[in-house]
Amino acid sequence: MLMRIALSFILAGLGWALVACSPLPESHASSQKLQPTSSQQELLIVFSGNTLGELKPCGCAKEEDQGGIERRMGYLKSVVPEGHALLFVDLGDNFKEPTRQGRIKARYLMSAMARMGYDAVTLGDRDLLYGNEFLKKQEGLPWLTSNMRIKGMDPPRYRIQTYDNGLKVAVLAVADPDLFYVSGHSQITMQDPATAVRDLLPEIAQGGQPDVVVLLTHMERKKALKLVDIDGVDVVINGHIEDESDTIDMQAVRKGQKVFAQAAPLGQKMGELRVTVYGEKKTYEHRMVRLDSKIPDDAGMTALHDEYNQEIEALFFETLKAKRAKDRTQVYATESTCKTCHAGAHATWSDSRHAHAYATLKEVNKSFDPECLKCHTTGFEKPGGFISEIDTPELKNVQCEMCHGARLDHSRAPQGGFAEEARGACSQCHVPKHSPNFNYETYWPKIRH
Ligand code: HEC
Ligand code: HEC
Ligand code: HEC
Ligand code: HEC
């Protein structure tokens, strides 16, 4: 019993430490709260963004095991304090790659987000990856854009929310035209972000001055920071991600009575911004909440992810036919051939995790997912490489030839001179997202042979 209490105390301590470590200097300064008064009203803004199709983290590395729709919903149901005036928004860049699998993922992500009950979703450059027709078909998503016109879609330019505590909140959303023209979106027209906001604010005020004006932005951090200065805007929250290795500065910035915050990469953390309004005065508290294994999974979202998995599995089997019909000339000698002459190296390899990389995928029900197979098998999607467990059982796992190159010729007529090339092979798979602690000096000794 005592042990148990001690343990949960430590865990709670850890949770707090993580929150405290997240970059947040301004917020703590403001946590010496004024005493509550009858004129004080609170708004809790919860924000996500930059998801890049990340439905569920891959689990390759504990440090990066954050995010995903199961935990996002789990967080909404059990972490967000109840009874608050809540504004729930997303900063855009939901989709990742223009592939069939990318599109399927996008569909599931949209369906998950529709169930989460967002108040506003910013349109980012990535969100137009599959075109406006695709977006139109995704129901229940409150897209919002104050400076963009999209053919065939008519998202509102702003939103007004009124809450039981009397607060009236206006939400606007702008994106940087430079991001869109670069990626060649032809079905949209855009206005300068600052101009669009300045034009809309008087129109909004005509219906009664809002207590809080929240501007969602989709652009580079430094451009978004400038928009904090627009008269009448209280809160700016920004999103935009270049690619999955983009390190995003999540530091919140206070400017007088105003605040700037930034969405985390890959939906890994949820942002919380607590706005307290005392008449003309406002104070802010900000924190980023890690969606790690301490956050409970939501069963409904797990079921939705299982459905996605089944669809990917079906797609995998569908594409097998075409792969089987292709030229299947042997390219790899395979580890069992190397073993005949390099018994020592083979024994070391067999004890390493490389030799069990395929079993790892089976354990997590992902042995049909192309996004995982490419690093956990030999030569996936390369001529002569892994196709499936049934077709090419001899090419499971990260074999010798993933580091030493295809060596069929060598295994028939051995010649040296290529050993050192293997040192450069690690970076194909040990990339920061999947292996954040990778360092050749510490990793190589674990598999030295
Ligand atoms: C870019 C290459 C790459 C991709 C893609 C990849 N992995 Fe990994 N995976 C790795 C590497 C490298 C490690 C070992 C990380 C380390 O320990 O530093 C690993 C480790 C793992 C582990 C941890 C094994 C353990 O026992 O600790 C799991 C689980 C895993 N991967 C599952 C997946 C799944 C599921 C996918 C697809 C969604 C996937 N991987 C995609 C490279 C990749
Ligand atoms: C084709 C992809 C790939 C290449 C290339 C690769 N690895 Fe790995 N590595 C993996 C995967 C996947 C895992 C995790 C396997 C598992 O546990 O399922 C892993 C795991 C490891 C581990 C175990 C980590 C641990 O903490 O126990 C070490 C060590 C390692 N790799 C070292 C290396 C080194 C050194 C190189 C380059 C010389 C290299 N790897 C090249 C994919 C690769
Ligand atoms: C994860 C990558 C990786 C895998 C998998 C791997 N090797 Fe290596 N191997 C290396 C590296 C790196 C070196 C050392 C290069 C250097 O620094 O000289 C090496 C060295 C060797 C050498 C030369 C050793 C010496 O004494 O100079 C042989 C032989 C060899 N590997 C055979 C194999 C065989 C056989 C397998 C499969 C059973 C295998 N390797 C799997 C990366 C790998
Ligand atoms: C028929 C026996 C035989 C087979 C099969 C074989 N090797 Fe070798 N391997 C040798 C011999 C002999 C050497 C030493 C060649 C030399 O130094 O000229 C060697 C050397 C090597 C080296 C060191 C190269 C260097 O630059 O010194 C590596 C790495 C290697 N083999 C990897 C493999 C891998 C990977 C496989 C399987 C794809 C494999 N070998 C299959 C016999 C074999």
Side-chain angles (χ1 to χ4, degrees):
M1 192 59 200
L2 239 174
M3 268 295 290
R4 249 206 170 136
I5 291 166
L7 187 67
S8 57
F9 184 72
I10 290 165
L11 285 176
L14 261 177
W16 173 244
L18 291 170
V19 168
C21 286
S22 70
L24 217 225
E26 318 279 337
S27 65
H28 286 274
S30 67
S31 57
Q32 336 116 351
K33 269 203 239 163
L34 304 184
Q35 284 308 306
T37 65
S38 54
S39 61
Q40 166 189 330
Q41 294 151 302
E42 265 193 14
L43 171 72
L44 179 64
I45 307 176
V46 169
F47 56 97
S48 61
N50 307 327
T51 306
L52 281 188
E54 199 84 343
L55 284 177
K56 187 186 176 96
C58 59
C60 294
K62 284 196 182 65
E63 304 80 347
E64 291 288 310
D65 182 18
Q66 299 176 51
I69 55 172
E70 293 156 87
R71 292 175 188 158
R72 195 185 294 185
M73 188 63 122
Y75 159 86
L76 288 171
K77 287 189 175 168
S78 62
V79 180
V80 174
E82 279 182 45
H84 267 83
L86 179 72
L87 177 68
F88 183 31
V89 298
D90 186 89
L91 279 305
D93 274 355
N94 280 291
F95 309 147
K96 187 176 171 202
E97 59 274 276
T99 58
R100 207 165 150 196
Q101 183 167 2
R103 200 183 171 96
I104 294 172
K105 242 193 282 178
R107 197 154 42 68
Y108 278 94
L109 181 60
M110 295 295 92
S111 149
M113 286 174 67
R115 292 193 206 178
M116 289 173 190
Y118 277 85
D119 296 306
V121 181
T122 315
L123 264 166
D125 45 307
R126 296 268 185 171
D127 299 304
L128 285 162
L129 195 59
Y130 310 110
N132 46 0
E133 286 303 318
F134 175 85
L135 285 187
K136 253 167 69 183
K137 273 188 236 146
Q138 316 306 317
E139 286 172 4
L141 283 156
W143 296 107
L144 185 70
T145 174
S146 310
N147 74 327
M148 199 188 300
R149 282 273 154 261
I150 312 159
K151 218 168 145 186
M153 268 176 91
D154 201 12
R157 295 165 82 82
Y158 60 86
R159 219 169 261 280
I160 306 287
Q161 310 250 114
T162 45
Y163 295 94
D164 289 345
N165 65 2
L167 273 185
K168 179 169 176 174
V169 178
V171 189
L172 297 90
V174 290
D176 180 6
D178 290 347
L179 295 174
F180 288 78
Y181 296 140
V182 166
S183 37
H185 296 297
S186 60
Q187 294 168 310
I188 57 167
T189 48
M190 293 183 77
Q191 201 186 350
D192 169 63
T195 311
V197 175
R198 289 201 180 95
D199 286 353
L200 282 171
L201 287 175
E203 183 182 325
I204 292 170
Q206 272 173 17
Q209 197 67 44
D211 301 294
V212 184
V213 173
V214 178
L215 175 61
L216 310 176
T217 58
H218 191 92
M219 55 190 70
E220 278 175 29
R221 179 183 167 98
K222 64 173 191 293
K223 286 191 178 180
L225 264 167
K226 291 201 183 118
L227 299 186
V228 181
D229 299 330
I230 298 178
D231 271 346
V233 169
D234 301 300
V235 175
V236 172
I237 309 177
N238 185 49
H240 178 56
I241 185 164
E242 285 296 325
D243 56 48
E244 64 179 25
S245 61
D246 197 351
T247 49
I248 289 179
D249 181 353
M250 286 176 279
Q251 189 124 349
V253 179
R254 278 285 292 278
K255 280 194 180 176
Q257 296 278 307
K258 300 170 174 227
V259 73
F260 169 89
Q262 176 90 32
L266 305 175
Q268 292 185 332
K269 298 174 178 68
M270 297 300 280
E272 287 182 9
L273 190 64
R274 201 179 292 265
V275 184
T276 309
V277 181
Y278 313 84
E280 294 292 292
K281 265 189 89 153
K282 295 184 183 74
T283 62
Y284 304 98
E285 278 174 83
H286 165 267
R287 67 169 190 154
M288 301 300 286
V289 182
R290 280 168 68 106
L291 297 187
D292 59 19
S293 57
K294 290 205 258 334
I295 307 281
D297 281 345
D298 175 74
M301 287 294 146
T302 302
L304 189 68
H305 186 265
D306 287 347
E307 244 177 77
Y308 161 76
N309 243 0
Q310 281 160 20
E311 205 167 314
I312 296 306
E313 186 168 15
L315 182 65
F316 178 75
F317 285 108
E318 198 186 307
T319 55
L320 279 187
K321 227 159 113 193
K323 286 187 181 171
R324 284 170 180 154
K326 271 198 192 146
D327 176 17
R328 302 262 305 269
T329 314
Q330 187 179 3
V331 172
Y332 296 97
T334 79
E335 43 90 9
S336 61
T337 308
C338 313
K339 183 183 179 184
T340 56
C341 300
H342 298 286
H346 190 276
T348 309
W349 172 79
S350 298
D351 287 340
S352 79
R353 281 174 46 188
H354 289 139
H356 303 98
Y358 185 77
T360 297
L361 293 187
K362 290 215 80 138
E363 278 161 31
V364 295
N365 190 26
K366 277 292 191 186
S367 57
F368 48 80
D369 191 333
E371 289 181 357
C372 313
L373 289 168
K374 66 173 181 178
C375 295
H376 286 250
T377 65
T378 297
F380 182 68
E381 269 163 5
K382 298 220 171 77
F386 181 86
I387 295 176
S388 79
E389 191 179 346
I390 307 154
D391 298 274
T392 53
E394 72 284 3
L395 291 171
K396 288 192 286 193
N397 304 316
V398 178
Q399 297 188 12
C400 329
E401 289 166 285
M402 283 311 281
C403 295
H404 291 294
R407 293 290 164 198
L408 195 54
D409 290 348
H410 166 85
S411 68
R412 288 171 180 161
Q415 269 188 345
F418 58 89
E420 291 184 9
E421 288 169 28
R423 295 177 197 170
C426 322
S427 58
Q428 293 169 67
C429 307
H430 288 270
V431 295
K433 176 166 183 260
H434 296 274
S435 187
N437 295 327
F438 182 78
N439 176 327
Y440 191 83
E441 305 309 322
T442 54
Y443 271 57
W444 166 245
K446 294 190 196 175
I447 60 158
R448 188 193 306 275
H449 52 272

